Amino acid sequence: MSVPSFRRGGRAAAALLCAAVAAVACDSPSAPGVREPAAIAVAAGGGQQGTAGQELPVPISVKVTDDRGRPVAGQAVTFHVTGGGGTVFSGTATTNAEGIAQERWTLGTAAGSAQTLEARVVNGSGTAFIGVVSATVTPGPVAHLDRVAPLGFAVGVVNSLLDDTLVARVTDVFGNGVAGATVSWAATAGGGSTTAAASVSDANGFARMTWTLGPPPSNGYQSASATISGMTVSFFARAAVGMLALQPNGATVNPGVPVTASVAVNDFIGPVPGLTVHWQVTSGGGTVTPAASKTGGPENPGIATAQWTPGPTPGTQTLTATAGSLSATFTVTVLGAVTRTLVAQVPGTVLDASLGSVLWLDQSGAAPAFKRRLSNGTDLTATVSPGTGQLYAVRGYLYDGGALLRTQTGQFYLWHDDGSLTPLGVGEGLPSVEGDWAAWRANAGDIVRIHLSTGSIVHIAAANATQIDVGADGDVVWLENGFAPWVYRDGTATQVTTQGDGSVGAIATDGVNIIYTKIDLFNNGTLLLDNGNADIGLAHHSSHGYPSLFAVMNGGWIAYGTPETALFRRSPGGAVQQVTPETSGVVPAAITPDGTLVYASNTTGRYYLVTPAGTRLDAGSTLGTYFLVDGPYLFAVEGGAVYRITA
């Protein structure tokens, strides 16, 4: 068998031809399946801006290339939305000869949300290549107009700018706010006006307008409207016509002590709730908080309140409340304050004080002890212990040259300035002390009266004596057997003649006057001033329990009242005046020989001083404070501190 032979040149030409054909076949895009996808990129349609819920004007195009950047034709590309809630037309497309695949994209309905689309291609080895496309959603045309604020009735004042701004929102069919839309505004009832005829909506579709209410309407209501593209929403307001100052207008108040100020606001229908009232101190230098408050609803209809703290300057001070064109001014009289001068500060419980000395119970040691500070600054300690039991029964009273002591066991002593003690025996109950005199009930039932400076003692025979009281001149009054009133004067004991029906419940004297109470069968009480003839009725209290009758007396002055009345002061000459602006809840605390009165007010929780001329001064808080009188001097005691009080 023979083998064919070929020319060398012919075989070489054939090889060259074959290589050329292969090269053409590899470069041609019309030969699918030869190239593998290695990349995908956005070719057109990226970064578009479109209307909510609408298809983008330019389809999304992506280009698929191989690892040499050559287009890959006939390659399947998938499209799906990854953000914003939009949709694609088919979800799959095949690349053309240029490696391009296209898809139509309809955006989501939420303007401003992130809109993203993913184009994906996978090579023969299963490797995926992804291209991401983004777009921006803008609202569609105006489709709705909604009232935003105020949703209910606004409240304002006639002929005044409404505090609330009117707000309407322009949106498309999907509820997206439409920016740049022109909204028309008008006052439609009540004679008011809007600040402008139109306003333009902001980036979120909100259009705003201010509204000045008109004159008083007959039904109390006014209205305004917003309009766009034939759509209208209405706003309504109640127009207040009056403001009235309530408390504390016309009151007398304390410097630096907060009081509640309140105003009532109304329209023609009734109280107006929800109206903002502005507060400002207009004289006196005080403060008010908050600066603005709203009138109340059903619980406190039409009432707005604030806390007003008057300034320190005595005299007239003012606070003004305003709402639109309405205003109300509060005028109060601020009391001056008493002058407080520290007399002593001791480490114990003060029992008594005078201008030159202070007596106290010292409990800093193992057992309580009486102590006294003399005017020269020397401290004395009594050599007798007051006892460790019922300290409420321990008492001490200063006099010129010493002190009267009572221990918790009822033992009485005179404690002299030289430190010596004179025992006086045992008594029952607490003593009555006035000036240089003291009296108490001895164990045998008789009355012991002592002149403190001289130590002179008189035993007044008075069986079963109670309610013992001594006056500054040494007169002693008491009740015998609990109801028969007696007086010891100038060495003689005589029964006091009383007026009216009932038994005597209490008796007292200041050495000038005698007062007593009569209790009838129904427990009604009457306070009477004994004048040796037809006694003078001072106060009366009707009570289901034991009657409460308050009185203090000194030097012929008497201050008296009941829980349900004001306090009255009677001069030695018989002139009577009401001394408290409060008509209840006041209790007398102390009175001096010139008629200076201190009383406590349960309403304010403070003490007040009333001078003989009737001037009232703030005397401080009632918390932890009590008052003492020594001759013409008045002292306030707070813990271990003693202050002299002057007007």
Side-chain angles (χ1 to χ4, degrees):
M1 179 177 178
S2 62
V3 179
S5 62
F6 297 89
R7 289 184 300 170
R8 185 180 301 273
R11 181 170 292 185
L16 289 171
L17 177 61
C18 180
V21 171
V24 172
C26 290
D27 290 338
S28 173
S30 62
V34 176
R35 298 177 182 173
E36 283 287 323
I40 187 170
V42 178
Q48 293 185 77
Q49 179 174 289
T51 303
Q54 300 296 311
E55 184 179 315
L56 287 173
V58 177
I60 303 303
S61 297
V62 295
K63 183 175 183 178
V64 180
T65 57
D66 65 7
D67 58 356
R68 294 171 60 186
R70 298 171 298 182
V72 178
Q75 181 65 48
V77 179
T78 59
F79 296 85
H80 67 276
V81 175
T82 55
T87 60
V88 292
F89 180 73
S90 64
T92 304
T94 302
T95 57
N96 61 15
E98 301 300 324
I100 302 297
Q102 285 189 342
E103 178 61 295
R104 291 154 62 186
W105 182 13
T106 298
L107 299 177
T109 59
S113 61
Q115 301 281 321
T116 54
L117 176 71
E118 180 182 283
R120 179 189 294 260
V121 64
V122 181
N123 66 15
S125 301
T127 301
F129 300 93
I130 298 171
V132 177
V133 188
S134 62
T136 303
V137 178
T138 59
V142 174
H144 301 288
L145 178 66
D146 298 297
R147 183 174 64 175
V148 176
L151 289 175
F153 276 94
V155 288
V157 176
V158 293
N159 300 315
S160 302
L161 185 69
L162 190 71
D163 281 345
D164 294 322
T165 298
L166 305 184
V167 183
R169 193 176 189 220
V170 183
T171 57
D172 64 9
V173 69
F174 299 112
N176 297 305
V178 179
T182 300
V183 176
S184 299
W185 299 87
T188 52
S193 62
T194 57
T195 305
S199 64
V200 177
S201 60
D202 63 16
N204 296 308
F206 294 106
R208 294 173 170 82
M209 184 55 60
T210 50
W211 177 19
T212 298
L213 301 182
S218 59
N219 63 359
Y221 299 113
Q222 300 193 24
S223 63
S225 66
T227 302
I228 190 172
S229 301
M231 296 173 287
T232 299
V233 292
S234 294
F235 301 83
F236 301 92
R238 288 185 67 175
V241 299
M243 176 184 289
L244 176 65
L246 302 177
Q247 63 179 14
N249 197 28
T252 300
V253 299
N254 304 301
V257 178
V259 293
T260 299
S262 58
V263 293
V265 180
N266 67 281
D267 62 8
F268 286 137
I269 298 174
V272 176
L275 180 67
T276 298
V277 175
H278 302 272
W279 303 88
Q280 183 179 11
V281 173
T282 45
S283 71
T287 60
V288 63
T289 182
S293 61
K294 290 184 179 292
T295 54
E299 300 253 340
N300 208 7
I303 306 295
T305 62
Q307 290 297 111
W308 179 19
T309 302
T313 305
T316 300
Q317 298 190 24
T318 57
L319 171 74
T320 300
T322 59
S325 61
L326 303 178
S327 67
T329 297
F330 299 83
T331 301
V332 297
T333 300
V334 176
L335 291 177
V338 299
T339 300
R340 297 160 61 93
T341 304
L342 183 65
V343 173
Q345 178 75 53
V346 297
T349 302
V350 175
L351 300 176
D352 199 6
S354 67
L355 198 60
S357 186
V358 61
L359 176 68
W360 76 94
L361 188 66
D362 183 8
Q363 300 183 65
S364 61
F370 288 111
K371 286 199 172 181
R372 183 155 52 104
R373 180 165 296 167
L374 302 181
S375 57
N376 62 8
T378 303
D379 287 349
L380 299 179
T381 301
T383 57
V384 58
S385 170
T388 58
Q390 303 165 328
L391 293 181
Y392 66 87
V394 175
R395 288 291 186 271
Y397 307 88
L398 293 168
Y399 66 90
D400 243 358
L404 174 68
L405 307 181
R406 183 195 188 279
T407 70
Q408 62 93 14
T409 60
Q411 188 70 242
F412 285 87
Y413 296 89
L414 284 181
W415 184 16
H416 307 288
D417 280 353
D418 61 5
S420 63
L421 288 163
T422 300
L424 301 175
V426 178
E428 297 179 1
L430 300 178
S432 170
V433 181
E434 187 69 44
D436 224 17
W437 296 92
W440 62 87
R441 172 177 159 154
N443 279 346
D446 60 338
I447 297 171
V448 176
R449 188 194 72 169
I450 182 171
H451 187 263
L452 297 170
S453 295
T454 63
S456 173
I457 295 176
V458 173
H459 285 261
I460 302 169
N464 197 23
T466 61
Q467 296 283 331
I468 299 169
D469 193 38
V470 66
D473 62 348
D475 286 358
V476 181
V477 294
W478 70 92
L479 297 183
E480 190 171 299
N481 296 318
F483 63 88
W486 286 76
V487 59
Y488 179 82
R489 179 179 291 144
D490 299 328
T492 303
T494 57
Q495 189 165 354
V496 177
T497 302
T498 62
Q499 305 293 317
D501 297 327
S503 60
V504 177
I507 192 167
T509 184
D510 62 353
V512 178
N513 292 314
I514 296 175
I515 59 173
Y516 64 94
T517 60
K518 290 295 290 288
I519 313 297
D520 66 19
L521 294 176
F522 302 100
N523 279 336
N524 300 315
T526 302
L527 179 67
L528 295 115
L529 170 63
D530 175 68
N531 69 352
N533 190 7
D535 293 349
I536 300 168
L538 300 177
H540 181 79
H541 184 217
S542 299
S543 172
H544 294 295
Y546 201 79
S548 296
L549 294 160
F550 307 137
V552 291
M553 56 196 310
N554 199 341
W557 292 86
I558 308 172
Y560 56 89
T562 77
E564 288 82 28
T565 67
L567 286 183
F568 296 86
R569 181 172 58 188
R570 188 179 192 274
S571 73
V576 176
Q577 65 174 163
Q578 180 177 323
V579 289
T580 64
E582 301 95 336
T583 56
S584 64
V586 284
V587 180
I591 193 167
T592 65
D594 69 351
T596 299
L597 171 68
V598 174
Y599 74 91
S601 170
N602 295 330
T603 302
T604 64
R606 301 188 71 80
Y607 283 113
Y608 298 96
L609 181 147
V610 183
T611 68
T615 301
R616 196 163 68 110
L617 300 172
D618 179 44
S621 170
T622 58
L623 188 63
T625 303
Y626 64 93
F627 284 81
L628 298 171
V629 175
D630 178 58
Y633 304 113
L634 181 67
F635 300 95
V637 179
E638 297 175 0
V642 180
Y643 298 90
R644 183 185 173 194
I645 302 298
T646 53

